[in-house]
Amino acid sequence: MWRGAAVRVLRAGGAGNPRSASGAAVAQLRRRLESELEDIRGAGTWKSERVIASRQGPHLRLAGGGAGAYGEAGRALGFFSRCDAAASLFLLAGILNFCANNYLGLSSHPEVIRAAVEALEKFGAGLSSVRFICGTQSIHKDLEEKIARFHQREDAILYASCFDANAGIFEALLTPEDAVLSDELNHASIIDGIRLCKANKYRYKHMDMQDLEAKLQDTQKHRLRLVATDGAFSMDGDIAPLREICQLAQKYDALVFIDECHATGFLGPNGRGTDELLGVMDKVTIINSTLGKALGGAAGGYTTGPKPLIDLLRQRSRPYLFSNSLPPAVVGCASKALDLLMESNAIAQSMAAKTQRFRSKMTAAGFTISGKDHPICPVMLGDARLASVMAEDMLNRGIYVIGFSYPVVPKGKARIRVQISAVHSDEDIDRCVEAFTEVGRKHGALP
């Protein structure tokens, strides 16, 4: 009885009286929120969610639009050829997907999916617990060992996401006696993680080594100095100058932390990331990265580095201690993705040519593409409304891309971020460039 009465009171807007204090407060809140939402729409920065009715892949079917057909994906990558013909079919439709973090095309890879199903059947849907109570299975330990081996580090620890990994490391590692030096364009999760810690905080200009050195000089009074940077910056597609960062860290007795979410799996000769790409694997102390992008695309993140650090995180990292364990199916996906990468570097090496094809053709067409040699290819437009309108017009031409504007990127630097995948064909890339050229001319972004 009481539950029904409570529902009736809530629907009435307060304690039986729509004009009660609580009802007035809710009405005031609604007005404020609706005004703020209208400001977002008016600024052209409203972020809509398109609903996908198919698997993640280079070709998509969107809910409520377009009939899909099945066709066979290309078998350009060596290990794809081991799969039977039926399993290698990807859902094809008129929509070409150029905005996913599915860099290696493993989100729909048959062997990755099969590994998830097997883990689900053997280990269940989830652990209903955190790791230190009753949430650690053998597959979690196996994956952590595999991650450490992949990165050539001593140990690794799993998190529900890399956002959690970044939220958990700085607070556990750094004290008021220490200092952290962060690139001004680091990912939001790094920024939020640093906010949680009590260390002295310094922000250096984006990839500016003179500014970093000046701040390293300023921080010599602190016990420990940690330089924190994205390995590859997700909004601009540029790669941190790790050689120079590591040289400065060595000169001023500092440690180096890198977030490799947009590098793990495809940068470097064997896909191990920016530290492998730039030849400084032995000079980077801590790596945080994700399982939710190139490594299967499901979820999960991790920290890998010195074993004493990993042991400390198991004792003090709050997102690890107070979050449920990764579901077995997710662990199975990531484990198989790593197996595929460590068996062959063909998929990692396939990215360079595809990325260069898109960047060179777009530049020739007259667009400004930020970054260099990374499959994140931001088409710089400046105006938020232009980015939004062009992205919608691209979808009308069968190309799925998204416009990015403030607060995701700085004001005046709106762009459409294009992301190349190993499973995009040359024809897919050329079709995307042709659509951009048509839409760019239509809206005045090109002469």
Side-chain angles (χ1 to χ4, degrees), residues 19-73:
R19 298 182 181 277
S20 67
S22 62
V26 171
Q28 182 183 29
L29 175 65
R30 280 184 176 276
R31 287 194 297 271
R32 184 176 69 79
L33 294 179
E34 286 169 357
S35 174
E36 191 169 339
L37 292 171
E38 191 56 40
D39 288 344
I40 295 172
R41 292 187 183 94
T45 58
W46 184 267
K47 297 161 188 65
S48 300
E49 295 182 358
R50 298 167 180 166
V51 181
I52 298 171
S54 63
R55 294 178 179 181
Q56 183 64 270
H59 304 83
L60 296 176
R61 188 181 68 226
L62 299 184
Y70 286 92
E72 186 165 345

Side-chain angles (χ1 to χ4, degrees), residues 316-356:
R316 291 187 179 172
S317 181
R318 292 169 68 84
Y320 179 81
L321 291 170
F322 298 104
S323 297
N324 263 18
S325 310
L326 271 183
V330 172
V331 177
C333 283
S335 185
K336 177 53 68 174
L338 281 169
D339 288 343
L340 294 172
L341 284 175
M342 287 192 281
E343 287 173 12
S344 170
N345 65 353
I347 191 168
Q349 292 182 339
S350 72
M351 294 298 298
K354 295 175 186 291
T355 298
Q356 178 59 29

Side-chain angles (χ1 to χ4, degrees), residues 58-62 65 92-97 395 398-400 431:
H59 304 83
L60 296 176
R61 188 181 68 226
L62 299 184
L92 300 181
I95 304 299
L96 271 174
N97 182 13
L395 185 61
I399 308 295
Y400 190 158
R431 180 178 158 196

Side-chain angles (χ1 to χ4, degrees), residues 169-226:
I169 188 167
F170 301 104
E171 184 181 24
L173 176 62
L174 302 175
T175 74
E177 297 180 68
D178 306 318
V180 57
L181 302 91
S182 177
D183 188 293
E184 66 180 348
L185 294 188
N186 276 339
H187 190 267
S189 59
I190 300 176
I191 295 170
D192 287 356
I194 289 173
R195 283 173 178 164
L196 292 171
C197 79
K198 292 181 171 63
N200 299 274
K201 303 169 181 68
Y202 296 79
R203 186 173 64 175
Y204 64 91
K205 296 175 184 177
H206 181 49
M207 300 200 308
D208 185 328
M209 294 300 96
Q210 287 186 337
D211 192 37
L212 174 59
E213 181 165 20
K215 288 180 170 56
L216 280 168
Q217 292 170 347
D218 290 343
T219 59
Q220 290 302 293
K221 58 191 174 185
H222 301 299
R223 181 188 65 171
L224 182 152
R225 291 156 295 285
L226 180 69

Side-chain angles (χ1 to χ4, degrees), residues 265-377:
F266 57 93
L267 287 189
N270 299 291
R272 286 179 169 85
T274 53
D275 61 339
E276 183 188 45
L277 177 71
L278 299 174
V280 291
M281 291 186 71
D282 60 335
K283 294 180 174 60
V284 172
T285 309
I286 307 166
I287 294 173
N288 276 13
S289 194
T290 184
L291 307 174
K293 292 182 172 59
L295 300 184
Y302 58 85
T303 297
T304 184
K307 189 177 189 308
L309 169 65
I310 304 304
D311 289 343
L312 179 68
L313 293 176
R314 293 192 195 280
Q315 302 304 311
R316 291 187 179 172
S317 181
R318 292 169 68 84
Y320 179 81
L321 291 170
F322 298 104
S323 297
N324 263 18
S325 310
L326 271 183
V330 172
V331 177
C333 283
S335 185
K336 177 53 68 174
L338 281 169
D339 288 343
L340 294 172
L341 284 175
M342 287 192 281
E343 287 173 12
S344 170
N345 65 353
I347 191 168
Q349 292 182 339
S350 72
M351 294 298 298
K354 295 175 186 291
T355 298
Q356 178 59 29
R357 185 181 187 91
F358 179 81
R359 284 179 169 273
S360 61
K361 284 179 174 284
M362 287 290 285
T363 301
F367 288 103
T368 298
I369 310 299
S370 180
K372 181 181 179 183
D373 300 331
H374 193 283
I376 291 174
C377 304

